[in-house]
Amino acid sequence: MNIAEFLLPGMKNSDLKDFYNKVYSKGEKNHYTKLLFREKKITLEKLFILAELSSWRGKKVLDAGCGTGELAFMIAKKGAKKVIGVDFSSSAIETANQSYQQSNLEYQCRDLKNIKERFDVIVSSGTLEHTEEPYEVLKKLKSLLSPGGSLIITVPNWINPRGYILMTLKYLLKSKITLADLHYFTPFEFENWAKKLKMKLTWKTFEHDWSGGQKLIKDMERRLPKVLAGSAFPEAGKNVNDFMAWLENHAKTFPPDKKFGGAVAIYHFKK
């Protein structure tokens, strides 16, 4: 699969660095809607539960793309020996240092490629979809693992009603469906990468209500007018109400695929 197929034209990590510095500078609560900000917190809490496949106690942990530090702080409180949160946004690191402090926790504003230390566990929540070369990032993260170490990744998952709607708009109408994602992953990409990396992989999806339930309805009501306005056929926006009426009666009762269908996927690579 050609990674370049998933890149937004002209978008680079440096652009995203500026974008997220602005987001964190004004505060996530002021940037995201209440719905999306609340979902970020819920997703981190669920990630923490799902990722806890064994005790964190005594582990040396890297949070790659730590943002404002919530997940790194959760892990540090669970007794990890040392937790390092790394992010390329200086605004994020400043917020993390102000908000989440623990004696076994530190935050660093640095490039992942400059890290040489080894870790028992590496976590990265909602960051891989923003990188230019995700497979190269996974290779780098694998190289930082101690023998028998774990790499735990979460990304949005697009095999569900929400994904089918937005992927149709992306590919057929050339719509920009997200602000900062460079890639749109499914479990199939990760299964292929695990084989290339020669790592064991287990995975699951969660947030099913977001991908096909009432939260999907709220998200589409907010998102579709903006997406269509910037598409190749902006006049299609006049039909949003008709589509939402149909979606209201059907999408929230869509039979959920418990394995593939959640809006978020968690992947556990074992070295």
Side-chain angles (χ1 to χ4, degrees):
M1 184 169 296
N2 183 356
I3 292 298
E5 292 177 0
F6 293 90
L7 287 175
L8 292 177
M11 182 71 79
K12 296 182 178 180
N13 287 135
S14 57
D15 300 318
L16 294 178
K17 182 177 181 179
D18 293 339
F19 172 81
Y20 278 107
N21 271 330
K22 291 176 182 177
V23 169
Y24 293 126
S25 292
K26 73 176 184 179
E28 293 176 280
K29 287 185 179 181
N30 296 321
H31 176 77
Y32 296 109
T33 65
K34 291 182 179 179
L35 175 66
L36 291 179
F37 185 75
R38 184 169 64 249
E39 283 304 313
K40 182 202 171 189
K41 299 296 184 183
I42 292 171
T43 297
L44 283 176
E45 290 166 4
K46 289 183 177 178
L47 163 62
F48 185 68
I49 294 169
L50 291 168
E52 194 155 24
L53 306 178
S54 60
S55 173
W56 296 98
R57 189 162 298 280
K59 300 285 198 310
K60 186 177 179 182
V61 182
L62 172 68
D63 184 356
C66 66
T68 50
E70 299 96 324
L71 180 60
F73 182 64
M74 290 179 191
I75 295 171
K77 288 201 301 181
K78 278 292 184 178
K81 180 180 179 180
K82 182 179 182 180
V83 182
I84 299 177
V86 174
D87 202 281
F88 67 179
S89 169
S90 57
S91 296
I93 295 300
E94 182 179 351
T95 301
N97 278 317
Q98 292 172 351
S99 305
Y100 299 101
Q101 296 184 351
Q102 188 86 355
S103 60
N104 56 342
L105 170 63
E106 66 177 90
Y107 300 104
Q108 301 175 2
C109 184
R110 61 190 297 196
D111 195 312
L112 186 65
K113 67 183 180 183
N114 296 325
I115 298 176
K116 306 296 183 182
E117 298 175 63
R118 293 295 183 101
F119 299 87
D120 301 304
V121 183
I122 298 174
V123 297
S124 188
S125 178
T127 58
L128 196 67
E129 66 271 22
H130 302 152
T131 63
E132 293 174 54
E133 299 183 60
Y135 177 66
E136 296 302 317
V137 173
L138 291 176
K139 283 205 303 184
K140 171 62 179 180
L141 294 176
K142 178 188 175 183
S143 75
L144 300 178
L145 285 175
S146 299
S150 290
L151 170 58
I152 298 168
I153 304 285
T154 69
V155 295
N157 174 49
W158 298 89
I159 305 182
N160 47 56
R162 177 176 181 268
Y164 297 145
I165 292 168
L166 293 176
M167 287 298 102
T168 298
L169 295 175
K170 170 179 167 55
Y171 285 107
L172 295 185
L173 301 186
K174 304 301 180 184
S175 303
K176 185 175 181 180
I177 61 172
T178 59
L179 288 177
D181 292 357
L182 303 184
H183 310 275
Y184 301 91
F185 299 126
T186 74
F188 304 117
E189 283 83 45
F190 282 86
E191 288 177 343
N192 289 333
W193 287 334
K195 291 177 183 177
K196 292 174 65 177
L197 291 167
K198 294 181 171 56
M199 298 181 76
K200 296 179 180 178
L201 175 67
T202 56
W203 59 271
K204 63 182 71 176
T205 68
F206 57 105
E207 298 285 20
H208 288 80
D209 192 36
W210 183 261
S211 63
Q214 192 57 43
K215 291 174 185 174
L216 167 69
I217 304 297
K218 293 181 179 179
D219 184 40
M220 290 297 105
E221 287 177 344
R222 176 190 64 85
R223 186 186 298 269
L224 285 180
K226 297 177 182 178
V227 169
L228 288 168
S231 75
F233 297 94
E235 64 272 14
K238 66 184 180 183
N239 301 318
V240 168
N241 289 340
D242 292 339
F243 178 69
M244 290 306 307
W246 182 88
L247 201 62
E248 178 74 34
N249 291 323
H250 295 84
K252 64 184 178 182
T253 57
F254 193 94
D257 184 316
K258 293 299 183 183
K259 181 176 182 181
F260 284 94
V264 181
I266 179 168
Y267 299 93
H268 180 201
F269 295 86
K270 190 78 173 178
K271 189 171 181 179

